[in-house]
mmCIF file of all heavy atoms in Angstrom:
data_model
loop_
_atom_site.group_PDB
_atom_site.id
_atom_site.type_symbol
_atom_site.label_atom_id
_atom_site.label_comp_id
_atom_site.label_asym_id
_atom_site.label_seq_id
_atom_site.Cartn_x
_atom_site.Cartn_y
_atom_site.Cartn_z
ATOM 1 N N ALA U 201 -20.296 0.762 -5.357
ATOM 2 C CA ALA U 201 -21.199 0.714 -4.211
ATOM 3 C C ALA U 201 -22.579 1.136 -4.697
ATOM 4 O O ALA U 201 -22.705 1.867 -5.679
ATOM 5 C CB ALA U 201 -20.723 1.662 -3.124
ATOM 6 N N MET U 203 -26.647 2.461 -3.348
ATOM 7 C CA MET U 203 -27.374 3.108 -2.253
ATOM 8 C C MET U 203 -28.863 3.059 -2.582
ATOM 9 O O MET U 203 -29.244 3.174 -3.753
ATOM 10 C CB MET U 203 -26.930 4.565 -2.104
ATOM 11 C CG MET U 203 -27.702 5.346 -1.059
ATOM 12 S SD MET U 203 -26.947 6.942 -0.697
ATOM 13 C CE MET U 203 -27.446 7.899 -2.126
ATOM 14 N N MET U 266 -26.237 1.243 2.006
ATOM 15 C CA MET U 266 -26.615 2.557 2.538
ATOM 16 C C MET U 266 -28.132 2.733 2.559
ATOM 17 O O MET U 266 -28.660 3.793 2.209
ATOM 18 C CB MET U 266 -25.953 3.671 1.722
ATOM 19 C CG MET U 266 -24.426 3.608 1.751
ATOM 20 S SD MET U 266 -23.597 4.830 0.731
ATOM 21 C CE MET U 266 -23.929 6.352 1.594
ATOM 22 N N ARG U 297 -25.800 4.538 -7.659
ATOM 23 C CA ARG U 297 -24.573 3.742 -7.777
ATOM 24 C C ARG U 297 -23.382 4.659 -8.024
ATOM 25 O O ARG U 297 -23.503 5.658 -8.727
ATOM 26 C CB ARG U 297 -24.702 2.750 -8.927
ATOM 27 C CG ARG U 297 -23.527 1.810 -9.061
ATOM 28 C CD ARG U 297 -23.710 0.879 -10.233
ATOM 29 N NE ARG U 297 -24.774 -0.084 -10.012
ATOM 30 C CZ ARG U 297 -25.236 -0.913 -10.952
ATOM 31 N NH1 ARG U 297 -24.733 -0.858 -12.161
ATOM 32 N NH2 ARG U 297 -26.176 -1.784 -10.689
ATOM 33 N N GLY U 298 -22.254 4.293 -7.429
ATOM 34 C CA GLY U 298 -21.026 5.069 -7.641
ATOM 35 C C GLY U 298 -19.853 4.409 -6.952
ATOM 36 O O GLY U 298 -19.916 3.238 -6.568
ATOM 37 N N ASN U 300 -17.340 6.500 -4.637
ATOM 38 C CA ASN U 300 -16.750 7.120 -3.446
ATOM 39 C C ASN U 300 -17.780 7.706 -2.499
ATOM 40 O O ASN U 300 -18.779 8.287 -2.930
ATOM 41 C CB ASN U 300 -15.805 8.261 -3.882
ATOM 42 C CG ASN U 300 -14.658 7.743 -4.719
ATOM 43 O OD1 ASN U 300 -13.846 6.964 -4.245
ATOM 44 N ND2 ASN U 300 -14.609 8.165 -5.975
ATOM 45 N N VAL U 301 -17.487 7.563 -1.213
ATOM 46 C CA VAL U 301 -18.306 8.179 -0.171
ATOM 47 C C VAL U 301 -17.363 8.924 0.758
ATOM 48 O O VAL U 301 -16.475 8.328 1.353
ATOM 49 C CB VAL U 301 -19.085 7.125 0.629
ATOM 50 C CG1 VAL U 301 -19.902 7.794 1.731
ATOM 51 C CG2 VAL U 301 -20.000 6.324 -0.288
ATOM 52 N N PHE U 327 -23.070 13.532 -8.730
ATOM 53 C CA PHE U 327 -22.857 13.529 -7.286
ATOM 54 C C PHE U 327 -24.204 13.459 -6.580
ATOM 55 O O PHE U 327 -25.200 13.991 -7.079
ATOM 56 C CB PHE U 327 -22.129 14.797 -6.821
ATOM 57 C CG PHE U 327 -20.750 14.927 -7.409
ATOM 58 C CD1 PHE U 327 -20.545 15.667 -8.562
ATOM 59 C CD2 PHE U 327 -19.674 14.280 -6.823
ATOM 60 C CE1 PHE U 327 -19.288 15.769 -9.123
ATOM 61 C CE2 PHE U 327 -18.412 14.370 -7.376
ATOM 62 C CZ PHE U 327 -18.215 15.118 -8.531
ATOM 63 N N THR U 328 -24.208 12.804 -5.429
ATOM 64 C CA THR U 328 -25.391 12.821 -4.577
ATOM 65 C C THR U 328 -24.931 13.169 -3.165
ATOM 66 O O THR U 328 -24.098 12.462 -2.587
ATOM 67 C CB THR U 328 -26.107 11.461 -4.580
ATOM 68 O OG1 THR U 328 -26.515 11.170 -5.927
ATOM 69 C CG2 THR U 328 -27.335 11.503 -3.686
ATOM 70 N N THR U 385 -21.136 11.875 -2.100
ATOM 71 C CA THR U 385 -20.917 10.659 -2.872
ATOM 72 C C THR U 385 -20.814 11.037 -4.344
ATOM 73 O O THR U 385 -21.363 12.063 -4.769
ATOM 74 C CB THR U 385 -22.072 9.645 -2.725
ATOM 75 O OG1 THR U 385 -23.193 10.107 -3.493
ATOM 76 C CG2 THR U 385 -22.492 9.453 -1.276
ATOM 77 N N ASP U 386 -20.120 10.194 -5.107
ATOM 78 C CA ASP U 386 -20.110 10.392 -6.562
ATOM 79 C C ASP U 386 -21.146 9.471 -7.200
ATOM 80 O O ASP U 386 -20.956 8.974 -8.305
ATOM 81 C CB ASP U 386 -18.721 10.153 -7.149
ATOM 82 C CG ASP U 386 -18.193 8.765 -6.864
ATOM 83 O OD1 ASP U 386 -18.986 7.892 -6.436
ATOM 84 O OD2 ASP U 386 -16.985 8.524 -7.056
ATOM 85 N N PHE U 387 -22.233 9.267 -6.480
ATOM 86 C CA PHE U 387 -23.270 8.350 -6.946
ATOM 87 C C PHE U 387 -24.206 9.031 -7.950
ATOM 88 O O PHE U 387 -24.595 10.179 -7.775
ATOM 89 C CB PHE U 387 -24.132 7.867 -5.769
ATOM 90 C CG PHE U 387 -23.417 6.928 -4.834
ATOM 91 C CD1 PHE U 387 -22.060 6.671 -4.938
ATOM 92 C CD2 PHE U 387 -24.118 6.292 -3.824
ATOM 93 C CE1 PHE U 387 -21.406 5.808 -4.076
ATOM 94 C CE2 PHE U 387 -23.484 5.424 -2.948
ATOM 95 C CZ PHE U 387 -22.130 5.188 -3.073
ATOM 96 N N SER U 388 -24.591 8.253 -8.951
ATOM 97 C CA SER U 388 -25.644 8.675 -9.870
ATOM 98 C C SER U 388 -26.969 8.084 -9.429
ATOM 99 O O SER U 388 -27.014 6.945 -8.959
ATOM 100 C CB SER U 388 -25.358 8.180 -11.288
ATOM 101 O OG SER U 388 -24.523 9.062 -11.969
#
Side-chain angles (χ1 to χ4, degrees):
Chain U
M203 176 169 77
M266 299 176 70
R297 184 181 291 172
N300 298 297
V301 179
F327 297 95
T328 299
T385 75
D386 58 13
F387 290 8
S388 275

